[in-house]
Amino acid sequence: MIQDNASFTFLHRIEEVELNIEDGRWQSALALALTLPDICGGIAFPEIVKRYRDGRAVLDRNQRPTRDVGNQYIRWFDTYAAPFFKVSAQDISPYICGERCWQLRCEYLHQNKGFANTEDNTSIRFHLGVNCGTSVCQLDRIGSDNSLMDIRIDIEQFCRRMCQAVRAYYEAVHTEKDFNLYNTPVLDFIKASQDEQSNATIVIMCSNSAYGNGLKLALQRLSKNILVFETPQAARKKLGKKKHMLWVVTEALTKQPDQPWRADKRTPVILLSNQLESEITIEKNAGKLIILPMPVLPGSLRNAVKAYLLLKEEAYGIR
């Protein structure tokens, strides 16, 4: 089976976040959105790696420097995403920084929690909200000196702003950075099986060109080489001594002279006919003739062809 060309790309992940937003799937949208700086941080700051106290890089089992994911994440957010997370464009600082976003990412993805906000010296406490309509649902100052602030972040707006930030980063650097390294190959088994075509030649004999081309269309996913002829003479002239794997013949052609499929004892025939099997005079070795009623069902024809292709390919090692 040939692997299909489908894969989950960086842009697909952004689109998935946006689709989840449209569907109101806040948990899925937030989870995927929080992973986007993971990818961007590794692309933007590959030099940020884990180090021992003496400065030596920590190596993985393949003897390559180990990513310092947290610091890459925080650095990327503060460098590239921060402008998208301001309450207003005039603000000097965003309402959430890279360190807090990293905290949310770790607690939400690994523990199904939001911000812990348990530090004694915390002056800002973050919370998540939905259906707020603004990027920050509410800013509540607590205490007579306004020393403590509760910030409730709208999940929809957070995810939309993250998508805007990573799209802007992608547009700015995708010509110099290889985002394809961060694709996830995916095999679509249905599509791959449909696209797995044989190299075997199938010859269709049909005096009605429109019907013959319709038969070809029904079989085009099974073979790359399908030939359609309206007369035995045309088939003889074109084929010559070329080997092919299968004849598909309509009943009308059985009444014409010089029928090449009759003399060919080796190549199987699928005959499309309304005659009784006892009345068929095409002589074939056992297993070399299948009769299907007309008008033939495309599924029945494909199944009959598949049976012969598999048998032939196994016998001759053709793939």
Side-chain angles (χ1 to χ4, degrees):
M1 180 179 291
I2 300 174
Q3 181 167 306
D4 185 35
N5 194 31
S7 64
F8 295 152
T9 67
F10 178 71
L11 293 178
H12 286 153
R13 180 164 296 200
I14 301 173
E15 292 169 1
E16 193 89 0
V17 175
E18 294 167 338
L19 288 172
N20 279 309
I21 292 172
E22 297 303 321
D23 290 340
R25 301 179 186 274
W26 307 124
Q27 292 189 83
S28 299
L30 181 59
L32 281 178
L34 287 169
T35 66
L36 293 172
D38 273 301
I39 302 171
C40 295
I43 294 173
F45 303 107
E47 72 280 2
I48 299 179
V49 298
K50 292 182 178 179
R51 297 186 181 276
Y52 296 106
R53 290 183 178 180
D54 62 3
R56 291 181 299 114
V58 178
L59 303 180
D60 62 19
R61 57 186 172 185
N62 295 316
Q63 300 303 302
R64 292 178 296 193
T66 303
R67 285 183 59 186
D68 187 343
V69 180
N71 281 323
Q72 288 180 341
Y73 190 107
I74 293 169
R75 175 79 68 82
W76 181 85
F77 187 97
D78 289 338
T79 303
Y80 295 100
F84 294 86
F85 288 87
K86 295 179 179 180
V87 177
S88 65
Q90 293 74 31
D91 289 350
I92 298 175
S93 302
Y95 60 80
I96 181 172
C97 64
E99 187 172 355
R100 282 295 190 174
C101 192
W102 170 252
Q103 175 192 346
L104 173 60
R105 174 257 194 211
C106 294
E107 293 180 1
Y108 180 76
L109 294 182
H110 300 301
Q111 303 176 53
N112 194 33
K113 295 168 57 179
F115 299 97
N117 299 310
T118 55
E119 299 89 342
D120 293 337
N121 61 349
T122 297
S123 59
I124 299 178
R125 295 185 300 191
F126 291 90
H127 312 273
L128 294 173
V130 293
N131 301 320
C132 302
T134 59
S135 61
V136 179
C137 299
Q138 189 173 351
L139 296 177
D140 294 336
R141 295 191 180 276
I142 301 174
S144 58
D145 59 353
N146 291 331
S147 60
L148 183 61
M149 180 182 293
D150 281 344
I151 299 181
R152 293 172 177 82
I153 298 173
D154 180 71
I155 293 176
E156 177 182 353
Q157 286 297 322
F158 176 88
C159 293
R160 289 192 185 280
R161 290 177 180 234
M162 186 66 81
C163 289
Q164 291 171 3
V166 296
R167 281 188 185 277
Y169 176 70
Y170 175 84
E171 291 300 326
V173 305
H174 76 277
T175 57
E176 58 188 80
K177 304 286 187 179
D178 190 1
F179 281 79
N180 290 329
L181 296 175
Y182 297 86
N183 290 353
T184 301
V186 178
L187 178 61
D188 185 332
F189 284 89
I190 293 177
K191 190 174 187 303
S193 62
Q194 291 174 342
D195 291 344
E196 186 181 13
Q197 295 176 306
S198 169
N199 290 318
T201 299
I202 299 173
V203 179
I204 297 174
M205 301 297 306
C206 182
S207 57
N208 185 321
S209 61
Y211 192 74
N213 286 321
L215 296 176
K216 179 179 180 179
L217 185 63
L219 300 176
Q220 65 181 0
R221 289 179 177 175
L222 301 182
S223 176
K224 301 175 183 177
N225 304 308
I226 302 177
L227 304 175
V228 181
F229 300 104
E230 297 180 33
T231 65
Q233 294 77 14
R236 287 181 180 279
K237 182 177 179 181
K238 180 71 175 179
L239 294 174
K241 295 183 178 181
K242 293 181 181 178
K243 293 183 179 179
H244 52 283
M245 185 174 289
L246 182 66
W247 295 98
V248 178
V249 184
T250 58
E251 180 181 343
L253 267 294
T254 63
K255 299 178 175 62
Q256 294 194 17
D258 299 324
Q259 302 169 27
W261 53 89
R262 290 184 183 274
D264 184 356
K265 301 295 184 182
R266 179 181 176 85
T267 306
V269 171
I270 295 177
L271 178 61
L272 309 183
S273 172
N274 287 320
Q275 296 185 66
L276 296 176
E277 189 169 352
S278 59
E279 298 175 0
I280 303 298
T281 57
I282 298 177
E283 296 181 1
K284 282 286 177 183
N285 295 331
K288 298 294 185 180
L289 176 65
I290 290 180
I291 301 173
L292 297 177
M294 290 186 70
V296 67
L297 296 175
S300 299
L301 179 59
R302 281 193 290 266
N303 289 336
V305 171
K306 282 181 182 178
Y308 275 134
L309 291 182
L310 290 174
L311 178 64
K312 190 83 172 184
E313 289 174 352
E314 288 174 1
Y316 293 93
I318 300 174
R319 289 303 290 171

